[in-house]
Amino acid sequence: MKKLISLTVSAALLLAPFVYTINAPALNLKVDAVSAASEEAPAAPAKPAATPKPKPTPKATEKPKPTAKPTAKPAATPKPTAKPVATPKATAKPAATPKTTAKPAATAKATAKPANTAKPVATAKPVATEKPVTVKEAVYQDGVYVAYGNAYSKGTEGAKVTIKDGKIADIELMRTSPKIIDKNARDNYSGVWAAYGLMKERLLGKTRDGAAAVDAVSGATRSSNGWKLSVDRAFERSLEVKPADATYFPGDHMGVDPEGKYAVFASYDANKLTAVKLYPLTAAGDFVDEKAYTPEQAAAIAAITPVLLAQGSSAQPVAGYEADSKAAINAFWDAEQNATINNTSAYTDGFYSSYGTARSVGVERADVIIRNGKLVDVKLYRLGTNLIDRGATAYAEVVKANAPMTAKLLANGSYIANYNEKVDGISGATESSHGWNQAVERAFEKALKVPAEGQYFDGRFAGVDNASKIFLLVDVAADEVTGVKLSFFGTDGKLIADDKLTPEQKTLAGQLTASMLAKGVDMDYVNGQETLSAAAKAALIDALANASKVQGAYKDGTFTAYGDAYDKGTNKAEVTLRNGKIVNVALSRVGMNMEDLGKGAYAEVQKAIPQLTSSFLAAGTREGVQEVDAISGATNSSKALKTAVDRAYGKAEVVEANKAAYFDGIFIGVSTDKSVNVMVYVKNGIPVDMVLYFLDYAGKVKGLNQLTDAEKAVKAEIETTSSGSGLHKYGYRPAAFGANDDEKAVSAKVVEAIKAALETAGK
């Protein structure tokens, strides 16, 4: 050990590029770009079916409770009655996952063999042999299981599989970044785009053997096989009786520390670690190329790698490299968990969102991603009294506290237990940092495989109707609403102070509060105040959704999407969602330069936009918006704006119903200087056709006779390379082109417009 610690920088530089092994060949893990050829000629195992099938053990382990499936819509929060259903209050907070998970104890190998057959007697009829002892059939436990395929330089494939009665009842396919976080589909190699839907369709309803026999998608062979291997490993994890002769999934496994400093590639056979490779990560979460290592990085890698190989996740920090060692050990632990068949994490990997304690000035929210019981990504928000993110408009000290609190939570890999504002809070924003920590803690409880008792968290929660008429602070204890504080919004969007209320408002507030406490969401409406009564009910539903322990189907936030375009422009919707409900919507009609036409739009469209805005807010849901009647005289724009809202919901899905790179439809984008517009047609999730327009200073389309020779040449190239069915030549990572400098200058702007159009089309 002393030898390892005393490595010189010079020696370290010599050792850094090599893989440390225990009687095993070196890992072939080059950090190369994933090309079309690499997808079509996979280096990964061809068939996940090669994973050895488990042998039966003499005694089955106790069958765990199945994971509770989240409800389809947040609106499905159970209604509280006069006293919402009282369930025993959860007393235990989710336990922090231990840093090192003990290896599962190997169960005894099955010893039962077919009984010896009796030796035939030399007679006319041989004596019948004894019947062989039958082998017990594998039993797969119902539940949600996450597993990953073999890792390589750009990440890995993964699958979140819902198993029921030994078959795949639901499945989410992942293609991860080097930080092992699922990437946006369009950020992957184009051959993978169509593979998501095809592989999901092929795998649904299959048994373990049936999934292993599924054909790979042509053009995405490696990813297809990675998904199949992930599914096979998910089935292995679901076994009621784990294999007696294997602790790990054989193969190459990847892990990343929560702070994103290091990635580890760890190779295992069925029972031991055989090789380790350590990579530093950039701030963007990509691998640092070995040729670009600084002397300090090379020395740290050379010092830490052999310690990881020898001691694994129980390794102690190497003297002189304490911070790097901590990150590397955490990354190794993550890889070890991904490799372990009997992964003992108490949490289901995925995205979760929750709130801290609400106050009259607003509340904190945290969106987190959990993997192997560790926090691997977190975004913190400070919401105002309308429960919409204030962003940079929040108090200056709160804005400044966001980054250090994010860093603190990631360094901890979880929420901070026994949180103390004086010690753990961010100076100047102790209340908000406490709220963020509490929100992360609640998100972890939502992720528990075995849910804690009760439907709701205890505490104070805010609720606002989607028209922002009423603000509620609702106290919840042991699944009962124990208190309600009602406030009215004024015409300026601010809360009216209690001492500024009119006698009529005070009376109404008292009546609504009493009704909510007595009957919950089945409250009585006050005669003559039906609108505000409905708003109070909506605010209570909102508060209880914020208190719920079940993750909703949609992410909160503002999502921008577009309807289908045509040669005069397109329609845009900026939709703000909370608990799956529309709480704000901004509709606009934009021209070919993507600028809001405002009063330059058709008169009928100008009239339609405020009417549709009001109708969409009143409808409040994805389905409700589609039932809104089109406005006479602006039928096409009405349909386009409804489509835009639906696509905004599509972007907000926690689990995408149809995982694709792009929405089907027609989309436009413009160059930075607004001189070029490209219209892209998307079919089956793939850009297949493009039409190029050049614009004048007013954003109007130029006629062909107004174009330069270079513009005509570039237009011909873009439009004649459209196929109408397959991927457009410039539909994937377009680059500038041209036979001369003028054409190259024009095509560079065209490429800007193509990328912008693909962004508007992107899911």
Side-chain angles (χ1 to χ4, degrees):
M1 186 65 188
K2 288 180 181 177
K3 254 185 175 178
L4 293 174
I5 296 173
S6 62
L7 283 172
T8 63
V9 171
S10 158
L13 285 169
L14 290 172
L15 289 169
F18 297 94
V19 178
Y20 293 83
T21 63
I22 300 176
N23 298 322
L27 281 168
N28 182 20
L29 296 171
K30 296 180 181 178
V31 185
D32 295 326
V34 178
S35 63
S38 69
E39 270 290 343
E40 292 167 359
K47 293 199 176 186
T51 304
K53 287 192 176 181
K55 296 180 181 180
T57 54
K59 185 177 180 181
T61 56
E62 184 180 351
K63 185 174 180 181
K65 297 177 183 178
T67 304
K69 187 175 180 181
T71 55
K73 299 178 186 175
T77 307
K79 299 179 179 180
T81 55
K83 287 189 176 180
V85 182
T87 7
K89 182 177 178 182
T91 54
K93 293 183 179 178
T97 307
K99 185 177 180 182
T100 58
T101 304
K103 292 182 181 178
T107 51
K109 291 186 179 180
T111 55
K113 294 181 180 178
N116 292 332
T117 57
K119 192 173 181 180
V121 179
T123 59
K125 292 183 180 180
V127 177
T129 59
E130 293 182 36
K131 190 176 181 180
V133 176
T134 57
V135 178
K136 184 181 177 182
E137 187 178 352
V139 176
Y140 300 101
Q141 300 170 101
D142 290 355
V144 179
Y145 300 88
V146 179
Y148 298 91
N150 284 335
Y152 48 102
S153 63
K154 291 292 180 181
T156 184
E157 283 76 29
K160 190 172 186 176
V161 187
T162 302
I163 295 173
K164 185 171 177 58
D165 299 328
K167 295 181 180 180
I168 299 172
D170 197 10
I171 185 168
E172 179 185 356
L173 299 175
M174 296 178 280
R175 176 71 188 84
T176 78
S177 67
K179 286 189 70 175
I180 324 184
I181 293 175
D182 193 24
K183 289 199 294 188
N184 189 306
R186 68 180 185 271
D187 293 335
N188 292 316
Y189 159 63
S190 62
V192 180
W193 295 347
Y196 281 103
L198 290 170
M199 284 301 291
K200 180 173 181 176
E201 184 180 318
R202 293 175 186 181
L203 290 166
L204 275 173
K206 294 291 191 296
T207 62
R208 184 178 186 178
D209 289 341
V214 161
D215 290 333
V217 175
S218 178
T221 308
R222 179 169 64 187
S223 288
S224 298
N225 284 330
W227 286 325
K228 288 169 65 178
L229 183 57
S230 303
V231 169
D232 191 76
R233 288 171 172 173
F235 269 105
E236 186 95 341
R237 280 184 166 164
S238 78
L239 279 168
E240 186 175 57
V241 179
K242 301 297 189 292
D245 56 353
T247 301
Y248 305 106
F249 299 118
D252 302 327
H253 301 273
M254 187 176 170
V256 180
D257 70 287
E259 295 177 275
K261 292 180 179 178
Y262 277 101
V264 163
F265 283 79
S267 288
Y268 287 87
D269 64 18
N271 288 294
K272 68 178 184 296
L273 175 69
T274 60
V276 173
K277 183 71 176 177
L278 183 62
Y279 284 106
L281 297 175
T282 67
D286 296 319
F287 289 95
V288 177
D289 191 281
E290 290 183 23
K291 295 177 183 177
Y293 287 172
T294 64
E296 293 78 12
Q297 287 174 323
I301 290 168
I304 297 167
T305 304
V307 178
L308 290 177
L309 186 61
Q311 300 174 26
S313 53
S314 61
Q316 297 300 307
V318 177
Y321 301 101
E322 286 80 5
D324 290 280
S325 295
K326 179 185 175 184
I329 292 167
N330 284 337
F332 180 88
W333 178 90
D334 190 33
E336 183 180 53
Q337 300 312 300
N338 290 334
T340 303
I341 294 172
N342 192 22
N343 185 308
T344 56
S345 172
Y347 305 94
T348 300
D349 292 0
F351 169 91
Y352 301 91
S353 180
S354 202
Y355 295 82
T357 297
R359 307 178 300 285
S360 60
V361 293
V363 65
E364 286 71 33
R365 189 184 92 228
D367 292 351
V368 309
I369 295 176
I370 295 171
R371 184 176 67 248
N372 294 318
K374 292 283 187 180
L375 182 72
V376 294
D377 191 53
V378 59
K379 291 181 173 60
L380 305 176
Y381 303 90
R382 176 69 171 79
L383 313 182
T385 51
N386 59 1
L387 301 191
I388 294 175
D389 180 30
R390 292 191 60 186
T393 67
Y395 302 116
E397 295 302 320
V398 172
V399 173
K400 285 193 291 185
N402 194 304
M405 189 62 192
T406 299
K408 183 173 287 196
L409 290 166
L410 286 171
N412 198 58
S414 180
Y415 55 89
I416 301 167
N418 303 316
Y419 190 90
N420 184 319
E421 290 184 353
K422 292 181 180 178
V423 176
D424 300 307
I426 306 299
S427 179
T430 54
E431 205 168 26
S432 284
S433 55
H434 183 278
W436 284 323
N437 183 70
Q438 188 179 39
V440 173
E441 182 177 5
R442 287 171 171 166
F444 266 84
E445 188 166 340
K446 283 186 175 183
L448 283 170
K449 288 179 180 175
V450 180
E453 293 181 346
Q455 290 179 293
Y456 304 108
F457 297 108
D458 288 351
R460 174 166 286 187
F461 300 89
V464 177
D465 64 292
N466 63 341
S468 292
K469 293 180 181 295
I470 286 181
F471 174 87
L472 294 182
L473 288 174
V474 179
D475 294 319
V476 179
D479 282 0
E480 292 188 1
V481 173
T482 59
V484 174
K485 172 68 172 70
L486 184 150
S487 300
F488 296 102
F489 284 97
T491 54
D492 60 356
K494 297 180 180 179
L495 295 182
I496 303 172
D498 289 346
D499 60 358
K500 302 294 184 184
L501 294 175
T502 65
E504 292 77 12
Q505 288 173 323
K506 289 180 180 178
T507 299
L508 177 59
Q511 290 172 315
L512 293 173
T513 299
S515 186
M516 284 186 281
L517 285 171
K519 296 187 176 181
V521 295
D522 293 325
M523 59 180 284
D524 296 323
Y525 283 18
V526 176
N527 289 333
Q529 295 289 352
E530 285 75 15
T531 299
L532 287 175
S533 297
K537 178 177 178 176
L540 181 57
I541 291 172
D542 189 43
L544 292 175
N546 292 336
S548 175
K549 293 182 179 180
V550 176
Q551 176 58 45
Y554 299 102
K555 297 177 182 177
D556 290 354
T558 300
F559 304 89
T560 301
Y562 297 82
D564 283 355
Y566 67 113
D567 62 1
K568 295 292 189 296
T570 187
N571 295 276
K572 176 181 177 182
E574 295 174 279
V575 184
T576 302
L577 301 177
R578 186 173 63 255
N579 298 316
K581 295 289 183 68
I582 299 172
V583 295
N584 196 25
V585 60
L587 307 177
S588 56
R589 178 76 175 79
V590 301
M592 292 292 278
N593 58 4
M594 298 297 282
E595 296 285 343
D596 186 359
L597 288 174
K599 293 182 178 179
Y602 301 116
E604 291 82 359
V605 174
Q606 291 182 53
K607 292 177 185 175
I609 284 177
Q611 294 179 55
L612 289 170
T613 299
S614 178
S615 296
F616 290 174
L617 273 171
T621 65
R622 187 177 195 173
E623 298 77 13
V625 165
Q626 300 313 308
E627 298 298 319
V628 170
D629 291 333
I631 303 299
S632 178
T635 304
N636 289 336
S637 286
S638 298
K639 289 179 179 178
L641 287 167
K642 288 164 67 174
T643 297
V645 171
D646 188 72
R647 288 170 176 166
Y649 266 97
K651 289 186 174 186
E653 291 171 343
V654 171
V655 179
E656 295 179 65
N658 178 24
K659 196 162 190 173
Y662 302 100
F663 293 108
D664 285 354
I666 308 168
F667 305 89
I668 56 175
V670 295
S671 58
T672 304
D673 67 358
K674 312 283 187 185
S675 67
V676 177
N677 174 296
V678 172
M679 184 176 291
V680 175
Y681 294 76
V682 180
K683 296 179 183 177
N684 300 316
I686 296 173
V688 295
D689 283 315
M690 293 186 188
V691 178
L692 176 58
Y693 301 94
F694 292 94
L695 310 178
D696 61 20
Y697 69 93
K700 303 294 184 183
V701 176
K702 290 181 180 179
L704 193 61
N705 62 338
Q706 296 176 281
L707 304 185
T708 66
D709 290 341
E711 289 172 337
K712 290 176 182 177
V714 171
K715 182 177 174 67
E717 167 67 12
I718 294 294
E719 295 179 358
T720 58
T721 50
S722 294
S723 68
S725 56
L727 177 64
H728 190 279
K729 180 178 178 180
Y730 297 100
Y732 174 67
R733 296 181 184 173
F737 57 87
N740 53 55
D741 289 344
D742 287 345
E743 290 180 13
K744 290 176 182 177
V746 171
S747 69
K749 293 182 180 181
V750 171
V751 166
E752 287 180 355
I754 290 173
K755 290 179 177 178
L758 293 176
E759 188 63 29
T760 64
K763 292 195 74 174

